[in-house]
Amino acid sequence: MKRLLMILSGVLGLGLVAWWTISAVSGEAPITATVDRGPVIIGAEVTGTLRAVESVSVGPPLVPGIWQYKLAMMAPEGESVQKGQPVVGFDPSEIREKLRKRRNDLERAMKEAEKSGVDHEVRTADDELALAEAEAGLRKARLAAARPSELFSSIELEKARLDLELAELNVDNLRRRIEASHRAREAELAALESEVRHHQNRVAVLTDAERRMVRPAPRDGLVIYVTDWRQQKKKLGDSCWISDRVVEIPDLSRMMAHGFIEEALSGQLREGLPVSIRLDAHLDVPISGHVTRVV
């Protein structure tokens, strides 16, 4: 190898001497150039994965009673999105069916509560009328019992006294019965109103859940599809569990990459070297950075 290098050096030296002699004989001024010492820039291809230091994942919404979802819409991977723009959508068919049933239950409960309220008003009016009649009979019995004894026989006076006692008992019993009936109707009406509120809350929850089946971007950035434990990405029509993450919206201002390089070139790596990263989805957009750690 040394002999070969010496031969090449000798040949190169003879060539330079010959070129210089020819230039001098012809009278032409020799061409000169300034040589600067500096590092030789050598590029090396690195393959790996890129992820943000901070990233927000987007997946199915939390809906009580629903554990599995079906993907119905996905923003293209690598697409630039703004905060609030839809990026993932799930099939709302199951929620809409639940919502239809809950609305029917709500309508039924509202009708029952309305009917109970009308019945309560009617029965209250009937009770008030019955109590007024009983109190009128009591006043009449008191007037009869208060008649002078010298004008009526003892039998008539005893009968008036008994009628008074009976009228007092009747009014007292009627008042207790009306009060108990009123409490029972109030409890029944409160239970129906509580059922109405329950169905209203369920309808509100499902209505909000239907709206949340389309998931917006939580921040500005690029859409990145998340890979599962099999290194596969979700696609339209796939099923998702409540814990699955479908896409990520990374903070592109701070990115980090994990890559692999051929062992023959690994000795040239050191911390601080510049790198240029390109995404598969955006090969025309380079991302600049530097090496932070070599392992």
Side-chain angles (χ1 to χ4, degrees), residues 43 79 85 88 107 116 134 145 151 239 251 276 295:
E79 182 180 78
Q85 181 178 341
V88 179
E107 184 178 1
S116 179
L151 299 179
S239 295
D251 179 7
S276 179
V295 296

Side-chain angles (χ1 to χ4, degrees), residues 93-104:
S93 300
E94 184 176 356
I95 290 182
R96 286 175 179 171
E97 179 62 21
K98 290 178 177 289
L99 185 57
R100 184 188 64 81
K101 293 180 179 179
R102 286 295 182 179
R103 283 173 174 163
N104 291 339

Side-chain angles (χ1 to χ4, degrees), residues 50 78 222 224 252 255 277-285 287:
L50 178 69
L222 296 180
I224 305 297
L252 299 183
M255 302 289 291
I277 303 170
R278 296 177 185 270
L279 300 176
D280 292 339
H282 275 279
L283 295 176
D284 57 334
V285 181
I287 302 174

Side-chain angles (χ1 to χ4, degrees), residues 14-268:
L14 291 175
L16 291 174
V17 171
W19 173 77
W20 181 270
T21 303
I22 295 172
S23 298
V25 172
S26 63
E28 296 179 357
I31 300 173
T32 62
T34 302
V35 178
D36 294 331
R37 289 181 176 275
V40 178
I41 300 177
I42 300 176
E45 183 176 351
V46 179
T47 60
T49 59
L50 178 69
R51 66 182 180 87
V53 177
E54 294 183 3
S55 182
V56 179
S57 300
V58 181
L62 179 60
V63 180
I66 297 181
W67 308 101
Q68 195 171 21
Y69 302 78
K70 183 178 180 181
L71 272 171
M73 185 275 288
M74 296 178 69
E77 187 172 21
E79 182 180 78
S80 179
V81 295
Q82 296 180 346
K83 182 178 180 180
Q85 181 178 341
V87 292
V88 179
F90 299 92
D91 185 6
S93 300
E94 184 176 356
I95 290 182
R96 286 175 179 171
E97 179 62 21
K98 290 178 177 289
L99 185 57
R100 184 188 64 81
K101 293 180 179 179
R102 286 295 182 179
R103 283 173 174 163
N104 291 339
D105 293 340
L106 174 59
E107 184 178 1
R108 174 189 54 77
M110 291 178 66
K111 289 181 178 179
E112 290 181 358
E114 182 181 2
K115 180 178 179 299
S116 179
V118 173
D119 291 343
H120 179 62
E121 292 177 357
V122 172
R123 295 178 65 180
T124 299
D126 292 341
D127 290 342
E128 291 176 352
L129 178 60
L131 181 59
E133 292 177 351
E135 290 176 342
L138 176 60
R139 288 192 296 271
K140 183 179 178 181
R142 283 173 177 170
L143 290 175
R147 291 178 297 181
S149 57
E150 62 272 10
L151 299 179
F152 299 91
S153 64
S154 60
I155 295 177
E156 290 176 329
L157 292 176
E158 181 65 18
K159 180 178 181 302
R161 186 184 63 80
L162 293 175
D163 289 341
L164 176 59
E165 292 180 358
L166 182 61
E168 289 175 345
L169 289 174
N170 184 37
V171 170
D172 186 56
N173 290 336
L174 184 58
R175 284 175 177 171
R176 286 198 296 267
R177 188 171 67 251
I178 289 175
E179 184 178 355
S181 178
H182 180 77
R183 287 197 301 266
R185 290 196 299 269
E186 287 288 344
E188 179 184 3
L189 184 59
L192 291 173
E193 290 175 348
S194 176
E195 184 180 2
V196 169
R197 289 192 298 271
H198 170 73
H199 291 307
Q200 286 175 336
N201 291 336
R202 295 300 300 160
V203 168
V205 168
L206 290 173
T207 300
D208 180 67
E210 183 182 15
R211 177 186 60 81
R212 291 189 294 111
M213 293 300 279
V214 177
R215 308 293 286 160
R219 58 149 51 110
D220 297 347
L222 296 180
V223 176
I224 305 297
Y225 290 178
V226 177
T227 56
D228 58 16
W229 61 276
R230 296 174 297 180
Q231 300 302 311
Q232 294 182 355
K233 300 178 180 180
K234 297 290 185 183
K235 59 183 182 300
L236 293 180
D238 284 355
S239 295
C240 299
W241 294 101
I242 185 62
S243 59
D244 287 343
R245 304 296 93 184
V246 180
V247 301
E248 287 182 342
I249 309 295
D251 179 7
L252 299 183
S253 62
R254 298 183 61 200
M255 302 289 291
M256 63 185 303
H258 293 272
F260 301 91
I261 192 171
E262 293 182 4
E263 186 176 359
L265 301 175
S266 62
Q268 303 176 17

